[in-house]
């Protein structure tokens, strides 16, 4: 079966990223820098032979995806397909709180979160194990529809983290040594056997450093 080429992009910056405030599945829009980043990544991918663009339905990802679609040369990539399976991890009661708030209000839960406990979920939220299963099912379903094609997935830091772990066979509890910058370009290949990594964290299209947060 022909491979599906994937470009995975985290959404541009939001004010909550700057504040280290947990967004989760709350629908927070891009700030001015995030809009600039979205435009920059759209221009950077303008010469790519992109066939389809898929995005989380949360506006910070959708707005980023629309910027990529505006610059796409292939007409089939001009319409962004929304998919709830690409949403950020649900953080339940953590959503809307800063990292400092969480450490103060829920010290035990904060410790388990920071230790990357695969089975820990904030009240009302998802565990990393559940997120991994959701991301794998979503990507397998999307990529299988586009054998031999080149697609873009626009999502969130938590989703990017799971894509990297799936492609490199990293355990959920393994410390993260890879970057998840806003509007960075990440490249993978998909076959029915799974994902493989081509390139990660390309931010050359951005003039200065980008925030690197996995949880917002």
């Amino acid at each position: 079966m022909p491979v599906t080429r994937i470009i995975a992009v985290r959404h541009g910056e939001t004010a909550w990223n700057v504040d280290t405030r947990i967004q989760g599945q709350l629908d927070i829009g891009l700030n001015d820098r995030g809009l600039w980043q979205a435009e920059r990544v759209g221009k950077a991918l303008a010469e790519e032979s992109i066939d389809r663009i898929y995005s989380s339905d949360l506006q910070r990802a959708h707005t980023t995806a629309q910027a990529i679609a505006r610059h796409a040369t292939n007409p089939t990539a001009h319409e962004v397909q929304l998919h709830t399976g690409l949403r950020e991890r649900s953080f339940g009661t953590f959503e809307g709180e800063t990292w400092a708030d969480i450490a103060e209000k829920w010290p035990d839960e904060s410790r388990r979160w920071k230790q990357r406990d695969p089975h820990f979920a904030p009240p009302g939220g998802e565990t990393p194990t559940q997120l991994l299963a959701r991301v794998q099912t979503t990507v397998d379903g999307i990529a299988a529809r586009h054998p031999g094609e080149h697609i873009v997935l626009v999502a969130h830091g938590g989703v990017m983290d799971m894509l990297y772990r799936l492609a490199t066979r990293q355990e959920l509890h393994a410390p993260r040594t890879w970057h998840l910058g806003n509007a960075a370009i990440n490249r993978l290949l998909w076959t029915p056997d799974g994902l493989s990594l081509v390139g990660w964290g390309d931010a050359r299209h951005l003039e200065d450093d980008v925030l690197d947060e996995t949880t917002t």
Side-chain angles (χ1 to χ4, degrees), residues 30-52:
L30 299 180
N31 62 14
D32 287 344
R33 177 169 171 76
L35 292 170
W36 174 84
Q37 289 172 333
E39 189 66 16
R40 294 286 292 186
V41 73
K43 290 179 178 177
L45 296 176
E47 301 304 317
E48 302 273 352
S49 57
I50 297 168
D51 295 295
R52 300 283 179 181

Side-chain angles (χ1 to χ4, degrees), residues 18-39:
V18 177
D19 293 341
T20 67
R21 191 175 299 278
I22 302 298
Q23 295 172 120
Q25 296 190 359
L26 296 179
D27 201 9
I28 309 303
L30 299 180
N31 62 14
D32 287 344
R33 177 169 171 76
L35 292 170
W36 174 84
Q37 289 172 333
E39 189 66 16

Side-chain angles (χ1 to χ4, degrees), residues 9-102:
V9 177
R10 184 187 175 202
H11 62 79
E13 183 184 281
T14 73
W16 283 26
N17 289 147
V18 177
D19 293 341
T20 67
R21 191 175 299 278
I22 302 298
Q23 295 172 120
Q25 296 190 359
L26 296 179
D27 201 9
I28 309 303
L30 299 180
N31 62 14
D32 287 344
R33 177 169 171 76
L35 292 170
W36 174 84
Q37 289 172 333
E39 189 66 16
R40 294 286 292 186
V41 73
K43 290 179 178 177
L45 296 176
E47 301 304 317
E48 302 273 352
S49 57
I50 297 168
D51 295 295
R52 300 283 179 181
I53 299 173
Y54 289 84
S55 172
S56 160
D57 63 331
L58 299 177
Q59 63 174 307
R60 57 192 185 273
H62 188 200
T63 300
T64 305
Q66 288 175 313
I68 297 171
R70 282 197 300 272
H71 292 282
T73 56
N74 190 338
T76 61
H78 290 171
E79 182 179 351
V80 176
Q81 307 295 313
L82 299 181
H83 199 304
T84 58
L86 293 172
R87 282 186 173 190
E88 180 60 287
R89 177 183 173 185
S90 171
F91 276 90
T93 56
F94 282 10
E95 293 182 0
E97 305 283 355
T98 66
W99 297 358
D101 293 335
I102 292 166

